[in-house]
Amino acid sequence: MTGDGLLLDTPWCPPAVSAGGVFALAFVGCLVGLPIAGFALGGLLAPVGLGAVAAVAYIPAFAFWLGSLRIGPWGDARWVHDGYHVIPLAVWLVTWAVFAATARNLNTRWQVGVAISVIVAVTIGMQLGLAALDIWLVIEVL
């Protein structure tokens, strides 16, 4: 079915879809696996006093979904409890699309490694970008 104008007829689309799938699996793995590993390490390292250090591994994964935004200094802070979830959603959807388009020519092993690196870099970048704007993610139960 070439020549009928479908997007899938373009030579870059199937590899981009494959790279997008790799990113999606890596993202879900980080979103689920990192908190599980953090809690497991927290339980194992608790007897030596490092349980809290290991357990914080889940904070980046869940801060946007469970936390609240604190805008401004503590005394005059404006709190946003709902409605800001579009920020991480937009960031991750754009990251997913850009990764799929740019990593389409890499083999699967490289795609996984690069996807995990991109996920870590974007997570840190979002935190630093918001901090530069004096916007903080706060999980009130912690």
Side-chain angles (χ1 to χ4, degrees), residues 10-33:
T10 58
W12 60 269
C13 193
V17 170
S18 175
V22 167
F23 183 85
L25 288 174
F27 184 74
V28 169
C30 288
L31 196 65
V32 173

Side-chain angles (χ1 to χ4, degrees), residues 16-114:
V17 170
S18 175
V22 167
F23 183 85
L25 288 174
F27 184 74
V28 169
C30 288
L31 196 65
V32 173
L34 185 63
I36 290 171
F39 282 129
L41 285 174
L44 291 174
L45 296 176
V48 294
L50 296 174
V53 174
V56 298
Y58 79 94
I59 290 176
F62 289 123
F64 275 113
W65 305 116
L66 296 178
S68 300
L69 289 181
R70 179 184 58 86
I71 302 170
W74 276 105
D76 300 329
R78 182 170 67 96
W79 290 86
V80 179
H81 299 288
D82 293 318
Y84 68 90
H85 297 98
V86 72
I87 296 168
L89 183 61
V91 167
W92 288 116
L93 287 175
V94 168
T95 303
W96 186 16
V98 170
F99 179 85
T102 57
R104 67 182 182 269
N105 293 326
L106 297 175
N107 66 30
T108 305
R109 184 173 296 170
W110 275 96
Q111 285 177 349
V112 171
V114 172

